[in-house]
Amino acid sequence: MGCQASKPAVETAPSSTTPTRAPPAAAAPAIRSSHKQQQQQQPSPRSNNKKQQQQQQSAAKERQTTTNSDPSLYKALAQVYQYSLQSQTQLVNNSASLSSLPTLTHSQYQQELHRMLTTIIANNTNNRRWVITRYMASFRERSTGQTPLHLVCKLLDAVCLTFNETALQKNEINAVERTARQQQQQQQSTNPMAHPLVQIMQQLLHIHPAAMLLQDTNGNLPLHYAIIPYGSLYHKKDASSNIANTSVSNHYIHDWALRMAAVQMLLQADPHGATQYLQRHNVPYDETERCSPLYRVLQLLPDDFDSHAIVVHSHGKNTNSQALVSAPPPPPLLAVDYVGLLRDACNDDHANTYMATTTLCNASNGDQPLALLYRRFTRQFDLAEQFFKGDNSRPDVIKHRVAYKTAAGNTWKLIELLLSPKLPHEIGATNDTASHKEPWRLVHRAVQLQTPPDLLRYIVETNAHDLTVKDAAGNLPLHYAAKSRPPPLETNKNGPKAKASSSKRRSQDDTQDADDVKYVPAFYTKYVVDELLYKFPEAASVPDAEGNYPLTCAVVSGKQWIGGGIKSLYDAYPEALQQIDLKEHETLRLALIGDSIALSPMNQDYDEEESLQDTSIKSDESSVEEKKLDQLAAAAIASPLHSKRMIRDQPYDAIMLVQQVNVNATEVVASMWAHEEDAGVQMLSCVAISRLVQSAIAKAAAEMKLQNESGDLAIRNTRASEDVLRIALSAVAGVVNAMKAHPSEVVVQEKASNALRHMARTDGRNEISFVALGAVAALVGAMQAHVSDAGVQEEACAALSEIIRYGGADRATVVASVSGVTAIINAIAAHPTVVGVQTYGCLALKSLTDFPSAYLPELPMSQTEPLLMTAAKNFPEECSSTVDVVLSRLS
């Protein structure tokens, strides 16, 4: 998965010491009416006295409640929590090291949890009357500040852990265990409200609803622990590996029905407070991760192989029966339903789709939920096409491919859910299946949100028919793209404000400006408009339901001339200018004048005779638009507005932008997508990305030196990796796209290879896959296309070496499968006198042979050995030791 659960398997259970004083200030209510506070005037002395009296009375009441609180319920829940931690540790380690639990099975673990929780319910229920008192529910443990509701929410991880049905079918557990697990799963999924933990939560919320607003000493509400699956058995990744464990035989899955029932109760108990919490972008989960709760849930979701029946289709027909793998029927509630519950609870204002939580940028790395899911989708789809050593038609290979196709399909359902304006069960509804509901189309929704560029292109290419169809509101996708209202230009002309170091944990009260969170790059809208016009240029001449052309919609919404796509719309259909009163839009008038003057003969290098001949041409040969612009130019020169500064972007703004020293990486990547055809922008953008990555690494080293921690290389690398990750999350796809768009441009291939080289350490993190994104294939393709260019060969060899070093045997196998070994040997042979090519070529071969488990072709010693010996002879200091290692392995 490329991410770790943010809680360790072993944890100290909460203490049950009775407090003798009020909880610390950190445990104060989390939800306050900040809007009202801002409107209040400075209080008078009388109101100050009244406020102090109220505070004293409230404190006295709190002390009285704390003094009279009953710790019995908290102690009982703490014992259950302690048991769950010990048992999960034993199940993870698959050992009987704990003497109190000699031979623990999963069924025994769940049965004991159920018994302990049922005992709590039985001891507190009498003739259906609530016996859990307010003193029990309001108890707060002194050292942690936690209430019984906090512990109940934490226990969701323990009770939601279930066995994977695949393990049951494979007979990897005995018959008794299988029967017990199936019965328990069926009962929990059918009626989650009957579970004793849910019943305890229901009672606590009924007795003491104010507990929903109480923070513990870590600043977390009960909802914080309920929403995110923390359990170590549910999600576990080898911390020593960059590549996530993609085994399909994971025995443990999550019971979403039970968690959904519990979270739904919490959301209903305080809808306003829950919405405020879910809309946050900086909730801390560990030392480096600060993001929205929705993003964190998506981040921790494992590959979903078993949610639906697995059937392989090929061009609408079923494949060979051997390729059909049956799967158990889907459970009543799946992860998509749970994500849908959280998405709806965010209560986004769909009138301003740019402010939707689904496009919320994380405070720690700037990533978005949709971007995360699309990277996961591409990784899963790539694994579904993976080739293995030997016969690729054998059953285990077919099962692997079918499983990952299913996982990719399930991930796509989540993408559709986040794009959908409807409830989860309405996804895919059309006029035929839900005539009483307003239908929606994927492209129409995608262009209204800040959809990642690569995801938007995939949606447009796979749903091209939507470009020509108006929705129920009478709009084409191009109309929505033109009408969208991103934040004002002034808030993002220099990119978002600099963020603090990602290694520093912030408190929950730490917030950032809105332009930091809802940041839209300057050229993003241009990319969206150009992408739609490329597939269906006729859309520029189609009016919406109100009779407005897309150009009119874009002008009214206040977009920029180039960055906002107005110039693209004007070029596609100039006649739309007749709808616009240029006297009311001075910015557009000046932009049209400036664009016309820039293209006039006065600014071109013409021969004098040709110039005189051109000026003698009659004006009737000019278009209507050219005449109009000539009149506007004359009027503008005489107007006092002519001396004002024109608020419009220039064609060369992208080139200037990416060369700024402190440019934001998001702006650079957006410029690359918006100016895909411009090789100069692509080259300079790759240079900018490399510079930003190297600057981030140097900054991390400088911070460590300043803190006298320079000796701890691991910490320094961790900090540098977090800063590089922030750049790579969007930049890798942009750089690969530049290589694909300009395969014959040597300088683009060289600088792009250098950028990939510096970002290689992020491969496998947060769903970044250099294989699925096409980086490995692009590098090898560049080497094959430009064998004679030493710069391309050097940078590509260095990039491949880094990718293999961080990715391990899997990446070595992939490089070899796309003829990477041959490309490296050819580079060494073609440039025997270039030290860079020889050094990084030898390092790439060494990296390939560092992993014995990698599937590599046999290297021809008769050809390889002389090349390596020549490299060691010509450059002994750089290549000698590396060559010795490679030759020893090949022999």
Side-chain angles (χ1 to χ4, degrees), residues 69 97 125 144 208 224 236 333 360 363 395 428 500 534 542 573 592 619 621 710 770 862:
S69 60
S97 58
T125 304
T144 64
H208 188 43
H224 177 85
K236 188 173 180 64
L333 291 172
L360 195 67
Y534 178 78
V542 178
Y573 189 62
L592 288 167
S619 60
E621 297 181 3
S710 57
F770 274 49
S862 58

Side-chain angles (χ1 to χ4, degrees), residues 396-717:
D396 59 328
V397 175
I398 294 176
K399 185 173 182 179
H400 168 93
R401 293 180 177 176
V402 170
Y404 274 103
K405 283 184 180 179
T406 301
N410 291 335
T411 300
W412 189 254
K413 289 181 175 65
L414 291 172
I415 293 176
E416 287 183 327
L417 169 65
L418 296 188
L419 290 172
S420 169
K422 301 182 179 183
L423 296 175
H425 63 273
E426 296 171 339
I427 291 180
T430 62
N431 289 325
D432 297 329
T433 60
S435 57
H436 63 289
K437 300 289 185 179
E438 180 181 335
W440 68 281
R441 295 184 178 276
L442 198 58
V443 179
H444 293 68
R445 283 293 298 171
V447 299
Q448 296 180 64
L449 298 167
Q450 192 183 348
T451 305
D454 47 352
L455 172 57
L456 180 64
R457 173 165 294 179
Y458 181 83
I459 290 175
V460 170
E461 290 179 349
T462 55
N463 299 271
H465 178 67
D466 284 2
L467 299 174
T468 64
V469 179
K470 290 185 176 182
D471 64 1
N475 293 320
L476 293 173
L478 188 60
H479 292 126
Y480 284 117
K483 294 177 181 179
S484 61
R485 295 179 181 270
L489 174 64
E490 286 77 14
T491 63
N492 57 7
K493 59 185 177 181
N494 293 322
K497 296 180 180 179
K499 303 180 186 298
S501 175
S502 60
S503 62
K504 298 180 180 179
R505 180 171 180 171
R506 299 186 178 186
S507 65
Q508 283 208 354
D509 292 333
D510 182 22
T511 58
Q512 292 176 320
D513 296 337
D515 61 323
D516 241 14
V517 187
K518 308 293 185 180
Y519 170 62
V520 180
F523 289 102
Y524 176 78
T525 304
K526 177 187 184 302
Y527 168 75
V528 176
V529 171
D530 288 351
E531 198 71 13
L532 298 177
L533 288 174
Y534 178 78
K535 288 290 186 180
F536 184 45
E538 294 81 4
S541 62
V542 178
D544 63 5
E546 299 177 354
N548 295 322
Y549 293 115
L551 176 62
T552 307
C553 299
V555 172
V556 172
S557 66
K559 287 183 169 55
Q560 290 178 270
W561 172 240
I562 293 179
I566 291 181
K567 185 178 186 302
S568 299
L569 293 170
Y570 173 76
D571 292 340
Y573 189 62
E575 290 82 358
L577 194 63
Q578 298 174 6
Q579 281 191 341
I580 303 170
D581 185 357
L582 294 177
K583 294 180 180 179
E584 297 181 0
H585 300 280
E586 295 294 339
T587 302
L588 175 62
R589 185 163 72 114
L590 296 174
L592 288 167
I593 294 170
D595 200 56
S596 176
I597 293 175
L599 298 176
S600 67
M602 295 175 61
N603 293 283
Q604 305 287 345
D605 293 331
Y606 287 105
D607 182 83
E608 183 177 356
E609 294 182 0
E610 293 180 357
S611 178
L612 293 173
Q613 184 178 1
D614 288 340
T615 57
S616 65
I617 297 178
K618 300 298 181 180
S619 60
D620 59 329
E621 297 181 3
S622 302
S623 65
V624 176
E625 288 72 31
E626 290 173 343
K627 293 180 181 179
K628 190 171 185 178
L629 290 177
D630 290 340
Q631 296 173 359
L632 289 173
I637 293 174
S639 170
L641 290 174
H642 182 68
S643 60
K644 293 178 63 177
R645 179 182 179 184
M646 293 193 301
I647 308 174
R648 73 180 188 92
D649 47 353
Q650 303 284 349
Y652 51 79
D653 273 359
I655 292 179
M656 298 176 65
L657 175 67
V658 299
Q659 294 185 86
Q660 294 178 6
V661 177
N662 296 323
V663 65
N664 185 271
T666 308
E667 285 284 6
V668 175
V669 175
S671 299
M672 296 179 73
W673 286 100
H675 302 84
E676 187 176 19
E677 74 289 345
D678 192 325
V681 173
Q682 303 302 308
M683 182 271 292
L684 292 173
S685 297
C686 291
V687 172
I689 290 171
S690 297
R691 184 183 70 248
L692 291 172
V693 172
Q694 295 179 70
S695 176
I697 297 174
K699 181 180 178 181
E703 288 180 355
M704 293 294 296
K705 185 177 182 180
L706 185 64
Q707 299 172 13
N708 296 322
E709 299 174 353
S710 57
D712 195 337
L713 182 61
I715 297 178
R716 184 169 74 246
N717 288 339

